[in-house]
Amino acid sequence: MAGVRNIDHREESASVAVLEAQAAKYGELGKKITVHQSRIVEVGDNLKELMGPAYNDTQVLQTTSNNIDKVLAALERARQMSQDKGEEEQIIRNGPASVGLQTYLESLRRVEAKFQQLANNPMRINQEAQNELSQLLQYGARKLQEQFDKRIQEDNRPLEPLNFTTKNAPFPQISGSKVAELRELNRFISSTQPRAAANLTTIQVYSNVRGQYLAASLQNMAAGSTNIPKKKSENDLYRPGQSTVNVYAQGIDGMFKAEWNNICSIFNREECGITFETTTAKALNDYSKTLRDLNSQIKIAITQDCFLAFEIIDVTNVLSYQMDSVTGQLKQQIRDLCKPLRDTAKNSLVEMIEDIRRRVNGMVMLPPDGAAVAYTTEVIKRLQNLTNFRDSVASAMTSLGDGGWMSGQSSSSSSRQFDVGADKDFLLAHYVADTLETLFSCLEQRGLTIYKLKPTTGIFLANNVAVADRMIRTSDLQPIVATNERSGAPSKVEQWRKKGINTYIDAWREPILILRDVQYTNRGRPASGGGPIDSASIIKTMSSKDKDAYKEKFKTFNVLFESLCQKHKEILPNMERDIRSATSREISQLVEPMYARFWDRYHEVDKGKGKYVRWDKAGMANQILNLG
């Protein structure tokens, strides 16, 4: 057993010895490798020191080679572009009229694309080509603008709007093919405008050319509307439609709408508004000048011609709303043109009432028979004429405030504050009431001054009231006044009618006072019970002195009554019909009852001779009936 262990030990010792010998061998080898490695590193360092400059030079040469390749490529592209530029330049300089618009635009687009390529490459070599292309683009843009201007000018011959307004025919527009060409031209010019730096934009070119076309076409209408139509007499009022301003506005409306359609077909949506405003500016300025000229003429005879101001305001307001409904433009600009006329219209409402005071107080003669004066008819005609322009009249009255048209009052100082709920008819009815009050009160005062007598003044006043009332009832004023009793106009007429008639009837009260008698209780009571009165019995109870007194009463009454009848018949032919019947009725109601009572009691004092008692009751009734 021990022998076996010794054998194993010897084997292991031999293995260990072999391993140790190998390890020593490898150690020697490692040292040699380390030495060789050190030598290799040293050699490498030496080579690096020797080869570094050569390597760097190689890198520089490679970069230079790449740059040279790029320059050559750029030169090739520049050469190719230069070759292409010659072809494009020939097309562009020939102009769109020669080569066709589409060919011309395509050429410009190619030049534009090449310009962008050069602009994206900052190489100095491209700057010259880039400048040349920019100049070519500018030249092309100018050619396009010339073409745009030329095509616009072709449809610039003025027309006569009256030929279209009278026939209710549509106004001509630029043809469809030409619109398409102009649209293309505008689109390209607009896209290149910042760089092309042309003198005028397409909007300016269009506005200048078409603006002149609109103004020239409307020139005759403007000239025809400048003057107010001549009147047959100095006091004639302006009547609706006498001026051609309405036709002028219709011409503007038709031409502007046609031009709006042209603009919308040519320009971009965001360009349409400003293009329309600048294109129509000259024509609107001419319209404004016409309105200013008319306003100056209206002020000269404001009470007769102010109605033209109201008509112009109505016409212009309609024009502004119609223009806004179609284009969405110019509403306020058109309305603002009437500012001076609105002031004139407001002042005219005050001036017409002030004119009543001035004209009536300036009358040096009145009709000797108390007939109505012609001025009353003139005043009511003014009121009637206001109904033709109710919208503009209501606007002016609203601005003044309710009652602000009275002289010395305004909307801020008037004692009658404006009723915000009042409609335009109420304001007009109130104006009618104030006008009538001013007219009748002035006529009354003037009548008392000139006639000196109340009866003549009364019939003079009643006649004028009757004329005014009849004219109101037979015109469009009637429904306005009748449905606005709160304005006071209906009662105003009736009050002044009664006042005039009562002033006249007062003269008839004098003979009636004579027919009053005194009853003495110590002489017996008069018969009562409704039976017939015995005049003979009453006369028998009288003394001779009393009989003579009653004879004198009848005699005096006869003189006064006949005198009044004579005067009444003298003024009867010039008395208004309804005043005739009204005065006859009032005289009958005043005289007949008193005369009948007096006659019943005392007619026997004359014993039927007719010397003192001229008329019986039937005769008196017939006399009064003849007064109507």
Side-chain angles (χ1 to χ4, degrees):
M1 189 69 177
V4 174
R5 285 196 298 268
N6 289 333
I7 293 172
D8 292 337
H9 180 69
R10 286 194 296 269
E11 289 177 356
E12 291 175 356
S13 297
S15 297
V16 170
V18 172
L19 290 173
E20 289 177 349
Q22 289 179 347
K25 182 180 179 181
Y26 288 143
E28 290 295 330
L29 183 60
K31 290 177 181 180
K32 291 179 180 179
I33 291 173
T34 300
V35 172
H36 289 300
Q37 184 178 6
S38 298
R39 291 178 179 176
I40 291 172
V41 170
E42 184 179 354
V43 172
D45 291 339
N46 292 334
L47 289 175
K48 184 175 181 181
E49 291 177 2
L50 294 173
M51 296 299 297
Y55 175 77
N56 291 335
D57 291 341
T58 302
Q59 290 293 104
V60 171
L61 290 174
Q62 185 176 3
T63 301
T64 302
S65 177
N66 292 336
N67 291 337
I68 292 172
D69 291 340
K70 292 179 180 178
V71 170
L72 291 175
L75 290 172
E76 179 61 23
R77 287 195 300 271
R79 187 191 64 79
Q80 184 64 39
M81 286 186 180
S82 177
Q83 182 179 353
D84 295 341
K85 171 181 168 293
E87 298 175 358
E88 304 295 358
E89 183 175 8
Q90 184 178 1
I91 294 174
I92 291 172
R93 295 199 178 277
N94 285 337
S98 298
V99 301
L101 179 62
Q102 291 303 321
T103 301
Y104 198 82
L105 292 178
E106 289 172 1
S107 177
L108 284 173
R109 291 189 183 99
R110 289 191 296 269
V111 174
E112 171 73 15
K114 293 172 184 177
F115 179 86
Q116 292 297 334
Q117 291 178 7
L118 295 176
N120 293 332
N121 191 333
M123 292 182 63
R124 186 177 302 174
I125 195 174
N126 292 332
Q127 292 299 317
E128 183 178 353
Q130 188 176 348
N131 292 336
E132 291 177 355
L133 291 180
S134 177
Q135 293 174 3
L136 190 59
L137 286 173
Q138 292 179 25
Y139 180 85
R142 287 194 296 271
K143 280 291 186 180
L144 289 178
Q145 284 197 333
E146 291 174 3
Q147 180 70 4
F148 187 90
D149 191 1
K150 178 183 176 182
R151 298 294 279 167
I152 286 293
Q153 293 282 1
E154 292 173 356
D155 285 314
N156 199 35
R157 183 179 180 181
L159 53 82
E160 180 51 63
L162 197 61
N163 293 335
F164 300 91
T165 57
T166 55
K167 301 174 184 178
N168 199 25
F171 282 77
Q173 300 178 24
I174 300 175
S175 63
S177 59
K178 189 171 295 183
V179 162
E181 179 179 342
L182 292 171
R183 182 170 58 248
E184 285 293 324
L185 287 169
N186 173 68
R187 186 178 302 168
F188 190 88
I189 294 172
S190 298
S191 65
T192 61
Q193 194 67 42
R195 183 176 59 260
N199 293 329
L200 295 174
T201 66
T202 51
I203 293 177
Q204 291 171 321
V205 171
Y206 186 95
S207 299
N208 290 341
V209 175
R210 297 297 291 183
Q212 290 288 346
Y213 158 76
L214 292 177
S217 297
L218 294 166
Q219 183 177 6
N220 290 338
M221 284 189 162
S225 303
T226 300
N227 296 317
I228 298 176
K230 293 183 179 179
K231 306 181 182 69
K232 294 181 179 179
S233 65
E234 181 181 354
N235 295 326
D236 280 353
L237 303 180
Y238 174 84
R239 304 299 299 175
Q242 285 184 319
S243 171
T244 59
V245 172
N246 185 37
V247 178
Y248 187 10
Q250 290 176 2
I252 291 175
D253 180 68
M255 294 206 69
F256 279 22
K257 287 178 179 177
E259 201 60 36
W260 172 256
N261 292 334
N262 291 334
I263 290 171
C264 291
S265 300
I266 296 171
F267 293 91
N268 299 327
R269 180 177 299 177
E270 60 273 12
E271 298 174 324
C272 290
I274 184 63
T275 305
F276 186 62
E277 288 186 12
T278 54
T279 302
T280 57
K282 181 171 176 54
L284 280 183
N285 185 61
D286 291 343
Y287 184 64
S288 176
K289 183 179 182 299
T290 300
L291 298 191
R292 290 195 302 270
D293 291 343
L294 288 173
N295 188 49
S296 299
Q297 297 176 57
I298 290 170
K299 289 180 178 179
I300 297 173
I302 191 169
T303 56
Q304 287 80 37
D305 295 330
C306 63
F307 308 101
L308 175 57
F310 290 115
E311 182 179 52
I312 293 173
I313 294 170
D314 279 343
V315 166
T316 305
N317 284 344
V318 170
L319 175 62
S320 68
Y321 286 120
Q322 289 180 343
M323 198 60 56
D324 181 64
S325 65
V326 174
T327 70
Q329 307 290 327
L330 301 182
K331 178 180 178 181
Q332 195 57 46
Q333 292 94 316
I334 294 176
R335 286 179 58 84
D336 288 344
L337 299 179
C338 284
K339 282 184 178 179
L341 284 161
R342 289 192 184 93
D343 292 337
T344 299
K346 288 191 295 184
N347 293 336
S348 71
L349 296 173
V350 178
E351 182 62 24
M352 281 192 287
I353 290 181
E354 186 59 30
D355 180 71
I356 294 173
R357 299 187 181 98
R358 185 169 55 249
R359 293 275 295 277
V360 174
N361 292 335
M363 292 178 180
V364 295
M365 293 183 63
L366 294 177
D369 50 8
V373 291
Y375 184 65
T376 296
T377 300
E378 181 181 335
V379 170
I380 304 305
K381 282 183 177 180
R382 293 178 190 169
L383 297 177
Q384 291 174 339
N385 218 8
L386 289 176
T387 62
N388 296 312
F389 317 102
R390 289 162 70 174
D391 289 336
S392 53
V393 168
S395 177
M397 290 180 175
T398 302
S399 298
L400 287 170
D402 191 12
W405 43 77
M406 300 300 290
S407 181
Q409 294 182 352
S410 65
S411 58
S412 59
S413 63
S414 175
S415 59
R416 289 170 290 183
Q417 296 299 315
F418 174 58
D419 181 2
V420 295
D423 60 16
K424 57 188 177 184
D425 285 349
F426 172 81
L427 290 173
L428 181 54
H430 197 174
Y431 185 79
V432 171
D434 285 345
T435 300
L436 294 177
E437 177 68 24
T438 303
L439 175 64
F440 297 151
S441 61
C442 289
L443 288 174
E444 180 188 34
Q445 292 301 318
R446 200 61 186 159
L448 291 172
T449 301
I450 294 179
Y451 291 128
K452 310 293 184 183
L453 300 174
K454 283 189 174 182
T456 309
T457 300
I459 208 67
F460 169 71
L461 180 59
N463 280 331
N464 282 282
V465 172
V467 170
D469 185 39
R470 182 173 62 252
M471 293 182 68
I472 290 173
R473 291 179 182 277
T474 56
S475 69
D476 292 337
L477 284 172
Q478 171 60 20
I480 295 174
V481 170
T483 55
N484 290 278
E485 294 184 5
R486 188 164 55 95
S487 67
S491 59
K492 196 76 66 178
V493 173
E494 191 58 32
Q495 289 170 6
W496 280 101
R497 187 205 312 276
K498 288 181 178 179
K499 185 173 185 179
I501 292 175
N502 289 338
T503 302
Y504 175 72
I505 294 299
D506 283 344
W508 292 81
R509 300 185 190 281
E510 184 179 357
I512 296 304
L513 293 175
I514 297 172
L515 299 181
R516 292 182 180 178
D517 60 336
V518 181
Q519 299 290 333
Y520 297 95
T521 57
N522 60 351
R523 296 182 181 178
R525 287 183 171 275
S528 61
I533 298 175
D534 188 355
S535 176
S537 298
I538 294 174
I539 296 300
K540 286 181 182 180
T541 62
M542 291 182 179
S543 64
S544 297
K545 184 178 179 179
D546 289 337
K547 291 178 182 178
D548 291 340
Y550 278 99
K551 289 178 182 179
E552 188 63 28
K553 282 180 179 286
F554 272 110
K555 183 178 179 181
T556 304
F557 171 82
N558 293 338
V559 172
L560 293 175
F561 182 75
E562 287 180 336
S563 175
L564 289 171
C565 287
Q566 181 62 31
K567 293 178 180 178
H568 186 86
K569 290 178 180 178
E570 289 176 358
I571 64 176
L572 189 63
N574 293 313
M575 194 180 297
E576 297 298 320
R577 181 177 300 176
D578 53 341
I579 300 302
R580 292 183 190 178
S581 59
T583 54
S584 177
R585 184 169 57 253
E586 291 291 332
I587 292 171
S588 175
Q589 293 174 356
L590 177 65
V591 175
E592 284 193 54
M594 290 294 292
Y595 185 83
R597 175 184 175 278
F598 198 82
W599 186 90
D600 283 341
R601 293 181 63 80
Y602 307 114
H603 68 276
E604 285 296 331
V605 73
D606 194 33
K607 296 180 181 181
K609 296 179 181 180
K611 182 178 180 180
Y612 299 105
V613 183
R614 299 280 300 274
W615 306 281
D616 58 12
K617 291 188 289 186
M620 175 57 67
N622 188 54
Q623 285 290 319
I624 295 175
L625 182 63
N626 290 334
L627 296 178

